[in-house]
Amino acid sequence: MNILVRISCCLVLFTVPSCNRATPATPSISPHQINQISVINALMLGQYDGVMPVREMLRYGDFGLGTLDHLDGELVILDGSAYQVRGDGQISVVPLDHTTPFAVLTRFATDGKFPCPDVGSLVELESHLNEALMQRNNFHAIRIDGQFPSITLRSVHRQEPPFRPLSEVAKSQSVWTRTHVSGTLVGILSPTWVTGISVPGFHWHFLSDDRQIGGHVLDCTTREGRVRYTVCTTWQVRLPDSEAFNRLELGKDLSKELNEVESARAK
Amino acid sequence: MNILVRISCCLVLFTVPSCNRATPATPSISPHQINQISVINALMLGQYDGVMPVREMLRYGDFGLGTLDHLDGELVILDGSAYQVRGDGQISVVPLDHTTPFAVLTRFATDGKFPCPDVGSLVELESHLNEALMQRNNFHAIRIDGQFPSITLRSVHRQEPPFRPLSEVAKSQSVWTRTHVSGTLVGILSPTWVTGISVPGFHWHFLSDDRQIGGHVLDCTTREGRVRYTVCTTWQVRLPDSEAFNRLELGKDLSKELNEVESARAK
């Protein structure tokens, strides 16, 4: 075996995917591009059928959030792996052939970082971040690693057709609070003017360091956190090319319903 | 000179840009991706400073429309070249170092084609196209080559700072009607839900075969036309990364003003 062949073999060994990591993002996807699969109003209207395999989705980024085919829980994309948080809170790595009906992700790169203030609520955290991140007409991916003395999470249960609108389904979500968790907030901050297309403002999912606790974040307190963020100046939206998608009335103002879904607390 | 070197030389000769054509679009830009520079509400609010050189813009497509730095006329991108239609109707090829504050373009590919019905108005043409193009939640680039017994065009005059909103500037636009013109309608059809970000519905610019007549189309009649279209299922928005852009209140509903600007007829 000559030296060149041996080097090639080493490279092959080093690039074999671990967990469900996809092959590295294609060079076309820059770290400053936010990529989304479908539009939020399609999900609001009950389009829960997956439109892109997770294998393909992971080419668009290594950090982000979304949901899975049949609205089967919350999707967290962290360090290049995709995790599913089911309605019962169980977490698993998503098989690459599973699909997503809606996701937002980017190739995370640290454009800026600062210590996370210790806060008593998610509202307080977002208020601090709004002051720190001034580019309100660009997108941000925000990663906060730290301690969470308290964190309230939710997930949704797998749905079967005929699908009901998300505002209906969210009424039967599971909500739970965990204390003294070490983990990562996975956040996407979008400009206010993406209404109907993406989620305006902050959208947070969470994953604990031991991958045992996660979900869509409704509230939290923080200690000893570290904020890192990427500014995304390119926004790419992949639209489904299906008849079902093209029949939807996506222009409806569903922002009130979306706000209820995103911030709904335990009943 | 061996045969391989000779082939390389030929390739180099064939790829030298002619006119202001940029190097071919990068492989990352597929023909089914609509690309836009900035958002329409930034233009509505008077952000007329160019944010991308035409050289870079042309990497995103060979077909589209927009405007130029300082709102210096209408921009028509056809067959890979960028043309400027000034406020006085004069047309020239845009130097590659000039910049655009807003443009929408794609790599044109024919996904479908059909004879253009002979119509008596632009409204009638759009009504026919709405029936023919069923994918209302995707974008379309529409190219119509044909005869135009009558075509009414407008352009805008170069502005100097402090810039006034587009709805103010459009009041002093130039409007002219030409008869018996042979040329090409360059159209972008966007879903209704892009309000504030892009121009919902149809947006038409025009260029005559002899490159002497052009502008933003307010009305036309057609004869012997041929429609070709591309369906774009990926939508990419390049956002300016400037302080001026990030200060803008882009969430305002300016759709009434935009509609007036887009369809304003001669006073």
Side-chain angles (χ1 to χ4, degrees), chain A residues 28 33 135-139 193 197 233-241 245-250, chain B residues 28 33 135-139 193 197 233-241 245-250:
Chain A
S28 63
Q33 178 168 324
Q135 285 151 289
R136 67 174 176 176
N137 286 326
N138 284 284
F139 292 77
W193 43 264
I197 304 170
T233 52
T234 300
W235 176 32
Q236 183 170 294
V237 184
R238 286 287 309 265
L239 301 166
D241 190 16
F245 179 75
N246 277 297
R247 271 199 305 269
L248 296 175
E249 281 284 0
L250 296 175
Chain B
S28 63
Q33 178 168 324
Q135 285 151 289
R136 67 174 176 174
N137 286 326
N138 283 284
F139 293 77
W193 43 264
I197 303 170
T233 52
T234 301
W235 176 31
Q236 183 170 293
V237 184
R238 286 289 307 266
L239 301 166
D241 190 16
F245 179 74
N246 277 296
R247 272 198 305 269
L248 296 175
E249 279 285 0
L250 296 175

Side-chain angles (χ1 to χ4, degrees), chain B residues 3 162 172 186 195 210:
Chain B
I3 184 72
S172 59
V186 173
T195 306
D210 62 9

Side-chain angles (χ1 to χ4, degrees), chain B residues 60-116:
Chain B
Y60 289 94
D62 51 20
F63 179 94
L65 42 77
T67 187
L68 288 149
D69 182 52
H70 280 51
L71 201 73
D72 195 5
E74 307 285 348
L75 171 66
V76 192
I77 303 145
L78 186 58
D79 292 328
S81 291
Y83 301 88
Q84 173 184 25
V85 184
R86 290 198 178 76
D88 61 3
Q90 289 293 309
I91 298 179
S92 56
V93 169
V94 188
L96 291 174
D97 59 346
H98 283 207
T99 57
T100 175
F102 181 80
V104 186
L105 72 170
T106 188
R107 267 182 68 204
F108 196 88
T110 305
D111 289 330
K113 57 184 174 182
F114 51 90
C116 183

Side-chain angles (χ1 to χ4, degrees), chain B:
Chain B
M1 193 186 271
N2 71 31
I3 184 72
L4 217 65
V5 173
R6 260 185 275 175
I7 290 172
S8 303
C9 288
C10 291
L11 287 174
V12 167
L13 286 173
F14 279 122
T15 55
V16 166
S18 67
C19 295
N20 72 351
R21 289 178 201 188
T23 46
T26 53
S28 63
I29 306 296
S30 102
H32 302 108
Q33 178 168 324
I34 195 96
N35 305 290
Q36 78 176 66
I37 319 305
S38 193
V39 299
I40 192 68
N41 267 9
L43 200 72
M44 291 299 293
L45 294 171
Q47 290 290 302
Y48 305 143
D49 284 318
V51 294
M52 184 184 282
V54 166
R55 178 184 286 106
E56 185 182 348
M57 179 198 77
L58 286 173
R59 292 200 193 107
Y60 289 94
D62 51 20
F63 179 94
L65 42 77
T67 187
L68 288 149
D69 182 52
H70 280 51
L71 201 73
D72 195 5
E74 307 285 348
L75 171 66
V76 192
I77 303 145
L78 186 58
D79 292 328
S81 291
Y83 301 88
Q84 173 184 25
V85 184
R86 290 198 178 76
D88 61 3
Q90 289 293 309
I91 298 179
S92 56
V93 169
V94 188
L96 291 174
D97 59 346
H98 283 207
T99 57
T100 175
F102 181 80
V104 186
L105 72 170
T106 188
R107 267 182 68 204
F108 196 88
T110 305
D111 289 330
K113 57 184 174 182
F114 51 90
C116 183
D118 293 349
V119 296
S121 71
L122 189 58
V123 169
E124 195 183 336
L125 176 63
E126 292 179 354
S127 168
H128 278 288
L129 291 172
N130 268 329
E131 279 177 40
L133 307 168
M134 299 296 288
Q135 285 151 289
R136 67 174 176 174
N137 286 326
N138 283 284
F139 293 77
H140 294 76
I142 307 168
R143 174 179 181 145
I144 304 180
D145 297 279
Q147 306 301 316
F148 299 84
S150 171
I151 188 157
T152 302
L153 303 159
R154 76 102 193 267
S155 187
V156 283
H157 296 280
R158 181 184 167 91
Q159 300 296 302
E160 297 302 331
F163 295 132
R164 294 170 300 151
L166 190 55
S167 53
E168 284 301 307
V169 172
K171 288 176 186 165
S172 59
Q173 67 186 2
S174 307
V175 177
W176 55 91
T177 297
R178 296 288 178 269
T179 54
H180 307 297
V181 188
S182 182
T184 304
L185 285 178
V186 173
I188 302 290
L189 170 58
S190 305
T192 55
W193 43 264
V194 301
T195 306
I197 303 170
S198 200
V199 178
F202 294 95
H203 188 180
W204 300 103
H205 284 194
F206 177 79
L207 204 59
S208 64
D209 290 343
D210 62 9
R211 308 304 192 232
Q212 298 299 306
I213 298 169
H216 174 102
V217 183
L218 295 178
D219 204 1
C220 68
T221 63
T222 63
R223 292 290 177 277
E224 299 165 24
R226 184 174 54 136
V227 179
R228 284 181 283 170
Y229 65 88
T230 306
V231 182
C232 295
T233 52
T234 301
W235 176 31
Q236 183 170 293
V237 184
R238 286 289 307 266
L239 301 166
D241 190 16
S242 67
E243 266 191 51
F245 179 74
N246 277 296
R247 272 198 305 269
L248 296 175
E249 279 285 0
L250 296 175
K252 284 169 92 169
D253 182 5
L254 301 171
S255 47
K256 189 169 150 278
E257 290 85 346
L258 176 63
N259 192 47
E260 280 170 15
V261 166
E262 292 299 315
S263 59
R265 301 297 308 272
K267 287 175 292 185

Side-chain angles (χ1 to χ4, degrees), chain A residues 51-69:
Chain A
V51 295
M52 184 185 282
V54 166
R55 178 184 286 106
E56 185 181 349
M57 179 198 77
L58 286 173
R59 292 201 193 105
Y60 289 94
D62 51 20
F63 180 93
L65 42 77
T67 187
L68 289 148
D69 181 51

